[in-house]
Amino acid sequence: MRPIQAEWSLAGGEIEVEVTQFPPKVCEKVPPIEDVSRALNVKPAEIEAAGIKSVSTSRFKLLIHIKSTAILHKLSPNFPYLWEICEKYGATGFYPFSIEDYDEKLVQARQFPNKAGYDEDPATGVAASALGTYFYLNKSFNEDLTGVDTYKIVQGVSMGRPSYIEANVYSENGEITMTSITGKAMLL
């Protein structure tokens, strides 16, 4: 297994960090929409039917395309059932998301980790990276065949702890060559 690289720069009290991820993997085995809707306490019609995927650039996350940001922020998961599904499908959490702006490649997301000792995470780089891979593989935003596609992911809004992560997917001739995440931190 290759080491993860992290590069950072300091400017004005903020640290900008870019962390490379492992090569992406997709698991074809995903839970049915009825199980996902039960775990998230939403109607199946509020989830994009083809929008459930299990993707990893570090650890597998169940990525769930929710039809609107309003629905995303109202999610009230049934955590014991959600964790049961994670265990059954080898995922380390649910990462529901909604698309805010197709032109800007801007999405909002929430991360419900599997038995991590807390129910929701305000910023999750490995999940954001998996989501970037999902978008690239599904050609969600007219992706480039060669170059870098950057997806802007806002997370933590429902918790009152918003974060902003950029998921970068590098490709050559339509094949992913590398993924990374970029974000800022403040020195406290």
Side-chain angles (χ1 to χ4, degrees):
M1 187 174 278
R2 71 171 173 78
I4 296 292
Q5 278 189 291
E7 295 182 17
W8 61 274
S9 62
L10 177 62
E14 287 187 333
I15 301 172
E16 184 162 320
V17 180
E18 181 174 21
V19 181
T20 60
Q21 299 292 298
F22 294 110
K25 297 177 187 173
V26 177
C27 179
E28 298 302 323
K29 185 179 172 188
V30 295
I33 194 168
E34 295 79 16
D35 289 351
V36 172
S37 67
R38 179 178 163 208
L40 293 175
N41 281 316
V42 296
K43 298 173 187 160
E46 295 174 314
I47 299 170
E48 291 289 343
I52 301 170
K53 302 287 183 197
S54 183
V55 180
S56 171
T57 58
S58 178
R59 294 180 298 278
F60 279 101
K61 300 291 180 182
L62 283 172
L63 309 174
I64 300 124
H65 188 171
I66 303 294
K67 289 188 176 179
S68 78
T69 302
I71 296 167
L72 178 74
H73 291 304
K74 290 181 183 177
L75 294 177
S76 179
N78 172 341
F79 287 106
Y81 190 63
L82 185 146
W83 294 328
E84 183 181 316
I85 291 174
C86 285
E87 293 294 325
K88 183 175 180 178
Y89 290 90
T92 61
F94 272 45
Y95 201 59
F97 66 91
S98 64
I99 297 173
E100 282 278 309
D101 187 323
Y102 278 92
D103 292 333
E104 294 293 320
K105 298 182 183 177
L106 176 66
V107 301
Q108 288 208 31
R110 295 179 71 182
Q111 156 70 352
F112 304 118
N114 182 25
K115 298 181 184 177
Y118 51 91
D119 292 336
E120 187 166 357
D121 190 357
T124 315
V126 297
S129 181
L131 187 57
T133 296
Y134 167 97
F135 289 141
Y136 184 85
L137 293 174
N138 288 294
K139 303 300 181 219
S140 301
F141 299 96
N142 297 317
E143 283 70 7
D144 295 323
L145 292 176
T146 297
V148 62
D149 284 283
T150 298
Y151 307 94
K152 302 166 186 167
I153 300 165
V154 176
Q155 187 180 324
V157 172
S158 298
M159 304 174 67
R161 296 177 59 198
S163 65
Y164 175 81
I165 300 170
E166 291 184 347
N168 310 298
V169 178
Y170 300 84
S171 63
E172 189 172 315
N173 300 319
E175 297 292 324
I176 296 174
T177 58
M178 185 178 88
T179 62
S180 71
I181 52 167
T182 305
K184 291 182 181 178
M186 292 177 55
L187 294 175
L188 299 176

